[in-house]
Amino acid sequence: MLLNKKQKKIIAIIGLGYVGLPLAIAFGKKYNVLGYDINEKRIKELKKKKDNNLEISKKEFTKSKFIKFSNSEKDLLRCNTFIITVPTPITKNKKPDLRLLIKATKTVAKNIKKKSIIIYESTVYPGTTEEICLPIIEKISKLKLNSDFILGYSPERINPGDKTHTLEKITKVVSASNTIGINKIKKLYQSIIKPKIYCASSIKVAESAKIIENTQRDINIALMNELYQIFDKLNIKTNEVLKAAKTKWNFLDFSPGLVGGHCIGVDPYYLTFKAKQAGYEPKITLAGRKLNDGMPQYIYEKIHQNIKKQKINIKKTNFLILGITFKENCNDTRNSKSLELCKIISKKFNHVDIFDPYIKKNFTLNTRINFLKKIPNKKYNVIILAVKHSFFIKISFERIKRLMKKNCIFFDLKNTFTDKN
Ligand SMILES: NC(=O)c1ccc[n+]([C@@H]2O[C@H](COP(=O)([O-])OP(=O)(O)OC[C@H]3O[C@@H](n4cnc5c(N)ncnc54)[C@H](O)[C@@H]3O)[C@@H](O)[C@H]2O)c1
């Protein structure tokens, strides 16, 4: 598969999701790349230059001239650099679920040879790469770290829906099992990333750096959510307090909100798992998680109180929820707190409509929730603007106002319009 005959490097990207595909496309502009995924449907769509995650355009696919997509393991045999970007979710008990990572590691281990480079990009707790993955690689491949192959870890900072902080425009942290490795891995990423490559002092440091980036964000949002609940009791508008406080040079710019998805709401559990293993009982990290996880229920109760206050007939109350993805400008609904809110509302109310411009296909949650393909022309008692999609900003608040019945309760969870109106 040497499409680029000048390059001997054949890079396999294992797992072509939100992280893996942009990486494969970027490397495929220069190197021979094998985009490997176990999901046959995903491979079929990628072969047609279609990304259902909406991260890569047809034009970007075309620019990546040296890429091939495959779900056949035997294609990995020709590769000499392996980058693993598979999901690292949590179990129902909120413990790290490393099954996919281990499966991908075994696949790679069966296909590496001497002088291979293996880099992990999946988010993991400190120690996973060297304590969990490395022994599997050595056992299956019968090769030895550093003398036969190099191990590396480079956390991913991709932000779905964000077209500014894309892979090639942000600083990338790299780490490796030895000095030769760090130089090779640095050079590899430097060839596709314009800004800085930061070399972490060890693999564990790089793993930890990633996990605290999201943990820090989670806790800061949790603090804002707590402040929101305090100010609500005091009848003070949080957004006005934040506007005033932000005039101080070192006040951090966070706002209350729903924390979902598979990074910010998940990564802190990876850290706390490892902390507990090491004998430390985390305090604020888990408290922040609990507070953020409780926000859909809190918002529901607030809505319910308002409905009662307005004396709207509960049986006849109809809801419109705008935005069901876990964050703005992307179509990912995994662990979406907005969806969780829809489910809570639908347990008590019969008429719940949902609309999200990023969700094109029919979406079924339960029979009490009605999925709309277009923004409706109906009027509602309660409207919740749950996700700050640029689509809503574009159609303007005037359009949303046309959906409101008299005395409509409008919840602008992300202050999309509240600051301006
Ligand atoms: N999505 C983000 O915003 C983001 C940002 C930074 C880091 N991360 C981390 O990157 C990793 C990947 O996340 P994602 O959002 O890209 O996941 P994703 O769910 O979008 O995609 C993962 C892909 O891996 C494939 N896969 C699963 N097991 C495989 C295997 N054994 N072999 C080959 N392919 C396999 C799946 O079919 C899927 O297509 C996770 O650890 C995540 O925490 C994600």
Side-chain angles (χ1 to χ4, degrees):
M1 64 162 279
L2 280 180
L3 296 171
N4 181 355
K5 300 226 161 40
K6 286 186 213 148
Q7 281 288 350
K8 284 197 189 108
K9 209 183 280 305
I10 310 182
I11 306 172
I13 308 288
I14 319 290
L16 301 170
Y18 285 90
V19 167
L21 181 64
L23 195 66
I25 292 290
F27 277 124
K29 291 175 188 166
K30 217 171 179 150
Y31 303 102
N32 297 295
V33 169
L34 177 79
Y36 172 79
D37 201 294
I38 48 169
N39 183 342
E40 201 182 334
K41 202 167 142 245
R42 177 80 171 148
I43 292 297
K44 272 190 186 151
E45 89 191 32
L46 296 178
K47 279 183 177 168
K48 288 182 198 149
K49 302 192 189 330
K50 190 167 169 17
D51 172 25
N52 282 337
N53 290 347
L54 309 180
E55 291 298 312
I56 301 294
S57 64
K58 266 218 159 77
K59 200 170 150 202
E60 283 294 307
F61 270 102
T62 314
K63 281 193 214 160
S64 189
K65 288 186 294 222
F66 309 120
I67 191 164
K68 271 194 163 188
F69 296 106
S70 169
N71 62 330
S72 166
E73 207 185 300
K74 65 175 185 333
D75 287 334
L76 292 172
L77 265 174
R78 303 198 55 188
C79 302
N80 40 36
T81 302
F82 299 82
I83 305 182
I84 299 173
T85 53
V86 298
T88 42
I90 45 171
T91 62
K92 275 201 178 113
N93 302 328
K94 303 191 189 310
K95 298 256 166 47
D97 180 354
L98 296 178
R99 281 175 300 176
L100 295 173
L101 190 79
I102 290 172
K103 188 176 169 181
T105 300
K106 287 179 179 167
T107 306
V108 168
K110 279 189 259 165
N111 290 289
I112 57 164
K113 47 196 161 298
K114 282 194 174 188
K115 293 193 178 160
S116 287
I117 301 178
I118 306 164
I119 305 163
Y120 285 84
E121 288 220 6
S122 298
T123 306
V124 290
Y125 56 77
T128 313
T129 307
E130 289 154 305
E131 292 159 16
I132 309 276
C133 302
L134 174 61
I136 298 173
I137 301 169
E138 286 192 325
K139 189 172 171 209
I140 296 179
S141 69
K142 309 232 169 5
L143 298 175
K144 276 266 149 249
L145 177 68
N146 292 337
S147 47
D148 294 328
F149 68 92
I150 287 162
L151 191 61
Y153 182 81
S154 176
E156 186 46 65
R157 287 174 166 158
I158 232 153
N159 188 20
D162 181 347
K163 303 292 175 213
T164 311
H165 302 100
T166 51
L167 172 75
E168 285 144 303
K169 292 189 216 143
I170 53 172
T171 300
K172 185 111 172 96
V173 173
V174 296
S175 65
S177 50
N178 65 8
T179 322
I180 299 170
I182 195 84
N183 290 333
K184 283 190 172 175
I185 294 173
K186 183 181 177 189
K187 218 169 135 196
L188 176 70
Y189 283 104
Q190 225 160 23
S191 64
I192 59 156
I193 288 169
K194 282 185 201 107
K196 253 174 58 185
I197 302 293
Y198 179 88
C199 297
S201 54
S202 70
I203 288 178
K204 280 195 180 92
V205 165
E207 290 170 325
S208 308
K210 169 68 200 178
I211 216 100
I212 68 156
E213 286 168 23
N214 283 344
T215 303
Q216 185 192 61
R217 201 167 163 72
D218 194 40
I219 288 175
N220 277 307
I221 299 171
L223 173 64
M224 293 299 130
N225 281 335
E226 181 153 288
L227 295 176
Y228 177 72
Q229 297 188 30
I230 296 171
F231 290 131
D232 198 38
K233 288 229 179 291
L234 300 175
N235 247 328
I236 299 170
K237 288 196 168 127
T238 309
N239 59 325
E240 289 175 13
V241 177
L242 291 177
K243 252 189 193 172
K246 268 185 231 167
T247 57
K248 192 179 176 202
W249 60 94
N250 58 0
F251 188 82
L252 301 178
D253 189 5
F254 284 95
S255 38
L258 298 171
V259 181
H262 37 108
C263 290
I264 300 179
V266 166
D267 299 353
Y269 291 119
Y270 271 69
L271 181 64
T272 54
F273 170 83
K274 190 65 183 177
K276 282 180 190 171
Q277 241 187 17
Y280 180 83
E281 198 55 44
K283 293 159 194 84
I284 60 168
T285 315
L286 287 176
R289 271 291 62 244
K290 196 170 166 201
L291 205 132
N292 284 343
D293 269 351
M295 281 311 277
Q297 184 63 32
Y298 173 79
I299 290 164
Y300 167 75
E301 279 158 23
K302 233 176 106 66
I303 293 169
H304 200 222
Q305 278 166 14
N306 268 273
I307 291 173
K308 282 211 281 199
K309 229 193 269 171
Q310 296 244 24
K311 297 198 171 75
I312 303 174
N313 182 328
I314 298 241
K315 274 198 183 145
K316 287 188 185 158
T317 305
N318 66 346
F319 281 79
L320 173 63
I321 296 154
L322 296 170
I324 55 162
T325 57
F326 89 87
K327 65 171 291 207
E328 67 278 6
N329 302 332
C330 81
N331 65 356
D332 196 347
T333 54
R334 287 179 290 178
N335 189 23
S336 159
K337 294 289 157 191
S338 158
L339 266 188
E340 197 178 314
L341 177 63
C342 297
K343 283 185 210 158
I344 298 173
I345 294 171
S346 73
K347 278 189 194 153
K348 300 274 159 69
F349 294 88
N350 287 325
H351 311 284
V352 182
D353 285 355
I354 55 174
F355 170 71
D356 190 305
Y358 281 83
I359 310 294
K360 303 279 181 230
K361 286 190 189 134
N362 258 338
F363 197 89
T364 326
L365 267 178
N366 62 43
T367 50
R368 299 164 83 121
I369 300 179
N370 182 30
F371 170 78
L372 307 173
K373 280 193 180 153
K374 281 196 298 203
I375 189 137
N377 281 315
K378 249 164 92 175
K379 288 193 187 286
Y380 294 86
N381 298 108
V382 185
I383 298 179
I384 303 166
L385 183 49
V387 186
K388 200 174 186 169
H389 286 312
S390 36
F391 173 91
F392 297 130
I393 299 169
K394 227 181 194 166
I395 62 166
S396 85
F397 190 48
E398 290 311 307
R399 176 68 181 92
I400 291 169
K401 270 191 195 158
R402 295 214 300 268
L403 302 165
M404 299 180 184
K405 279 186 184 167
K406 199 174 163 225
N407 296 332
C408 170
I409 301 168
F410 177 58
F411 278 90
D412 188 355
L413 298 187
K414 295 292 287 180
N415 279 336
T416 307
F417 296 111
T418 314
D419 281 345
K420 300 178 190 75
N421 291 278

